[in-house]
Amino acid sequence: IYTGQRERDQHSAGLYPRLLGHAWDSLPLPLIKMHGCKKAEGVANVEMGRNLLAQLAAKLFGFPQAGQNIPVQVSFQSKNGGEIWKRTFAGRSFSSFQSEGDGLSERLLSERFGMFIFDFALVVDTEKLLLNVRRWKAFGVPLPLVLAPRMMVFESVVDNRFYFYVEISYPVVGLITRYQGWLVPSE
């Protein structure tokens, strides 16, 4: 169980600093630099689920195909108080829109993938920034959390570089995708 208090800092320009408040300053420098840049590049390893349902789900979201040492580019574009994250793995892209949650999701990171919205609690845990799913919606309709995909998402530092880890699975279906790697600002 994590507890904490966040005060809004209206003067912070970035989405993550606004959501994390004073906890932002406790993040490792490579994470702070990454969330302040416009473009980054690096390398990732990607695993995909093997069954048909997992592959259909991965295709629906546009997740990257399986492979090792895949070149990755990520661009961050500010829009309407949020950020468009465009991730390109070996020339194949998928995007999401991240913004501040509202209503019951106030102070959560809200990420939209097409018709789905996932609300994450940002938790600073020693040297990691964890993204824990707290709510989700499809077509704007709130759904029970027990039916949400299982996600393990975090950012950390490995070899003094920004490191990301994303694993998404679903009960019965199993692993949908797991991708992990490193990025450095390319500006």
Side-chain angles (χ1 to χ4, degrees):
I1 297 175
Y2 293 95
T3 62
Q5 181 176 345
R6 296 188 180 140
E7 297 175 16
R8 280 207 194 275
D9 182 357
Q10 299 297 339
H11 303 291
S12 294
L15 176 61
Y16 282 67
R18 285 194 314 266
L19 290 170
L20 286 168
H22 295 295
W24 171 255
D25 296 327
S26 67
L27 288 175
L29 189 58
L31 273 66
I32 291 173
K33 285 183 177 179
M34 185 58 57
H35 286 285
C37 76
K38 298 290 182 198
K39 292 184 180 179
E41 51 190 41
V43 174
N45 296 325
V46 181
E47 296 174 58
M48 300 278 299
R50 299 190 187 274
N51 69 53
L52 182 60
L53 288 175
Q55 292 171 359
L56 287 172
K59 199 170 262 317
L60 173 72
F61 285 95
F63 291 137
Q65 296 180 348
Q68 299 292 309
N69 298 313
I70 298 170
V72 179
Q73 295 86 35
V74 181
S75 66
F76 311 93
Q77 178 187 356
S78 296
K79 183 177 180 181
N80 300 330
E83 299 175 352
I84 298 172
W85 284 42
K86 181 179 178 186
R87 304 154 181 94
T88 304
F89 289 74
R92 185 173 179 216
S93 299
F94 70 102
S95 297
S96 66
F97 179 71
Q98 295 186 359
S99 62
E100 292 184 59
D102 56 11
L104 292 175
S105 296
E106 184 179 357
R107 299 188 186 260
L108 299 179
L109 175 71
S110 185
E111 186 164 20
R112 176 185 293 273
F113 287 94
M115 63 189 152
F116 294 96
I117 298 172
F118 296 92
D119 294 327
F120 296 92
L122 299 179
V123 179
V124 177
D125 182 19
T126 324
E127 296 289 312
K128 290 183 181 177
L129 178 60
L130 305 167
L131 285 77
N132 297 323
V133 176
R134 293 293 181 247
R135 292 182 179 73
W136 74 306
K137 299 176 187 172
F139 300 103
V141 177
L143 299 170
L145 191 56
V146 70
L147 298 178
R150 306 301 180 254
M151 297 185 200
M152 179 183 291
V153 181
F154 67 85
E155 301 171 352
S156 65
V157 176
V158 174
D159 296 329
N160 207 31
R161 293 188 287 208
F162 176 90
Y163 175 82
F164 60 91
Y165 182 92
V166 177
E167 181 176 319
I168 303 170
S169 62
Y170 200 81
V172 179
V173 174
L175 178 69
I176 295 172
T177 189
R178 180 184 302 119
Y179 55 93
Q180 58 190 316
W182 58 265
L183 293 168
V184 293
S186 58
E187 314 177 293

